[in-house]
Amino acid sequence: MKPIYIFQSGTLTRKGNTLAFKSESDEKTKYFPIENISEIKIFGEININKRLLEFLSANNLPLHFFNHYGFYVGSFYPYEHNTNGITIVKQVEHYISSEKRLVLAKKFVEGAMQNILKIVQYYERKSDFEVKRYSQKMEEFIQNIHQISSINELMAQEGNYREIYYNFIDNNIISNEDFKMVVREKRPPTNYMNTLISFGNSLMYSTVLTQIYQTPLDPRIGYLHSTNFRKFSLNLDIAEIFKPIVVDRTIFNLVNKKIINEKHFKKIQGGIHLNEEGQKNFIKNYEEHLSTTLKHKKLKRNITYRTLIKHEAYKILKHLIEEKEYVPFTMRW
């Protein structure tokens, strides 16, 4: 089962047990067997109807929408077919308890920090001794996590940690001066690197959301990211662990191999965004990363990173029902 990305404008309908997309530009119709689809991501302007939504809901298929600039704007999220009362009760219990919430929030941040550290150490091994000051500083941050007493302090420390990481990227990973980040910025980003990170993160948030949907967890209840008037929070939490592994490494590959360059960006009011060709190049490499397999030590078999995200959600579930303490996934290079 694979995701479908739709960039053209047109009409998406149900035809028997398949999805049919008719393009406005050439009026050609493409058919997609429902059993081969894991999720649908829409970048173009499409027409849909109630019959299609009923069909997607019956087959448990989320539909994610992205705006003209490639940023995630929302989802059609079918009825939570796997949810149950006790799981929601446990999720809420771990949120309203400041102590339990902080424990989980620290786990997400520590997982993200450890995976970032693995990337830095990988590039340090290819460089000289002087560069190792980055990883040494990062290890100090990780060791001090247990002393943090609030979510706000935790997020502030994570921000400081990422500043070190972004500085390392500029000085030791990305050689093209035009793709230096300098400083992290959003909505809208004004340079190439920030644009790539924002686009990649949007993809990851929707990917994680689809994987959560296949578990009993309610994505509206997060721990590091506050549960408030935003629709989903838990996918943002889990994404923190996988953004360095999938999104960042995708970007390094695209930039250093010159698969994406200056011609793949377009100016907008107040910033820039990836054009359609750039988005397609990014998605192709991103999906290749998600489909990469690794040997899972506990499961003793090869699984993809996409499956690994779902496995991570189940580990969180076991923590919530107090079956097993949650330990975030970290790369072992």
Side-chain angles (χ1 to χ4, degrees):
M1 297 176 68
K2 295 182 179 180
I4 291 177
Y5 292 83
I6 299 178
F7 285 89
Q8 294 178 311
S9 296
T11 302
L12 186 64
T13 58
R14 173 185 180 179
K15 294 291 183 183
N17 283 323
T18 65
L19 293 180
F21 177 72
K22 186 176 182 179
S23 172
E24 281 184 0
S25 59
D26 55 19
E27 296 192 348
K28 291 182 179 179
T29 301
K30 294 182 179 179
Y31 297 91
F32 306 95
I34 195 73
E35 63 271 13
N36 295 341
I37 305 170
S38 61
E39 60 184 328
I40 304 170
K41 300 190 179 186
I42 305 295
F43 289 81
E45 298 292 331
I46 67 162
N47 300 311
I48 57 177
N49 57 30
K50 177 172 170 283
R51 185 167 180 262
L52 171 73
L53 296 179
E54 289 174 347
F55 184 52
L56 295 177
S57 185
N59 286 276
N60 306 315
L61 278 181
L63 185 65
H64 304 297
F65 296 92
F66 296 78
N67 65 17
H68 177 67
Y69 305 121
F71 299 124
Y72 172 78
V73 293
S75 299
F76 168 71
Y77 198 71
Y79 176 76
E80 290 91 343
H81 63 293
N82 282 324
T83 56
N84 57 68
I86 190 64
T87 299
I88 294 176
V89 168
K90 288 295 183 181
Q91 280 189 257
V92 173
E93 177 186 309
H94 279 73
Y95 183 80
I96 60 177
S97 166
S98 299
E99 182 180 346
K100 290 182 178 180
R101 180 187 172 190
L102 185 59
V103 167
L104 270 173
K106 285 182 178 180
K107 299 281 190 183
F108 295 127
V109 171
E110 183 179 2
M113 286 183 170
Q114 290 285 6
N115 286 323
I116 287 172
L117 178 62
K118 294 292 184 183
I119 290 174
V120 170
Q121 289 173 334
Y122 169 79
Y123 282 95
E124 281 182 343
R125 288 194 294 269
K126 300 168 65 175
S127 186
D128 56 45
F129 177 79
E130 287 298 317
V131 180
K132 291 182 173 56
R133 68 182 186 274
Y134 286 96
S135 64
Q136 291 167 357
K137 183 67 175 176
M138 288 175 163
E139 286 170 346
E140 291 176 12
F141 271 87
I142 295 172
Q143 290 168 3
N144 292 330
I145 285 180
H146 70 279
Q147 299 176 3
I148 294 174
S149 58
S150 71
I151 299 292
N152 288 338
E153 183 185 356
L154 182 63
M155 296 192 80
Q157 286 294 85
E158 185 199 20
N160 294 335
Y161 186 90
R162 285 188 178 274
E163 281 188 21
I164 299 172
Y165 174 49
Y166 294 144
N167 185 261
F168 180 85
I169 292 173
D170 279 354
N171 292 323
N172 300 280
I173 300 180
I174 302 299
S175 56
N176 188 333
E177 290 295 326
D178 292 330
F179 279 82
K180 303 292 186 181
M181 180 185 300
V182 183
V183 65
R184 181 74 176 108
E185 57 185 9
K186 312 171 186 177
R187 299 187 182 279
T190 60
N191 66 29
Y192 299 142
M193 181 57 72
N194 276 294
T195 300
L196 292 174
I197 290 176
S198 293
F199 182 72
N201 288 350
S202 287
L203 293 178
M204 179 55 70
Y205 296 146
S206 61
T207 297
V208 174
L209 184 58
T210 296
Q211 297 307 309
I212 293 175
Y213 179 67
Q214 298 176 39
T215 76
L217 293 171
D218 190 319
R220 293 171 295 185
I221 305 171
Y223 302 95
L224 175 62
H225 296 84
S226 298
T227 298
N228 49 29
F229 292 105
R230 71 162 64 92
K231 183 63 176 174
F232 305 114
S233 298
L234 186 57
N235 61 323
L236 306 183
D237 289 354
I238 298 175
E240 293 296 325
I241 296 168
F242 292 96
K243 287 190 296 187
I245 302 169
V246 179
V247 175
D248 294 356
R249 290 169 68 202
T250 294
I251 293 171
F252 302 156
N253 187 59
L254 289 168
V255 175
N256 288 335
K257 291 185 177 180
K258 300 181 180 179
I259 299 170
I260 280 185
N261 54 48
E262 294 86 346
K263 74 174 186 179
H264 294 114
F265 296 85
K266 184 178 180 180
K267 288 185 178 180
I268 58 173
Q269 185 175 3
I272 59 174
H273 73 98
L274 275 171
N275 61 25
E276 185 175 321
E277 182 183 357
Q279 290 175 2
K280 288 180 177 179
N281 286 349
F282 194 112
I283 288 168
K284 181 177 182 296
N285 208 273
Y286 171 79
E287 285 295 328
E288 287 173 355
H289 268 93
L290 280 176
S291 299
T292 301
T293 60
L294 70 161
K295 185 68 176 287
H296 195 283
K297 187 177 181 180
K298 184 177 179 181
L299 298 178
K300 296 180 180 179
R301 61 183 175 88
N302 290 331
I303 62 173
T304 65
Y305 282 108
R306 179 177 274 108
T307 302
L308 189 63
I309 293 171
K310 181 169 68 174
H311 182 70
E312 199 73 7
Y314 274 110
K315 285 162 55 181
I316 295 166
L317 175 62
K318 288 183 178 181
H319 178 97
L320 294 168
I321 62 176
E322 299 173 359
E323 181 178 319
K324 187 176 182 180
E325 183 180 359
Y326 172 58
V327 177
F329 171 79
T330 54
M331 284 295 297
R332 289 175 173 82
W333 280 320

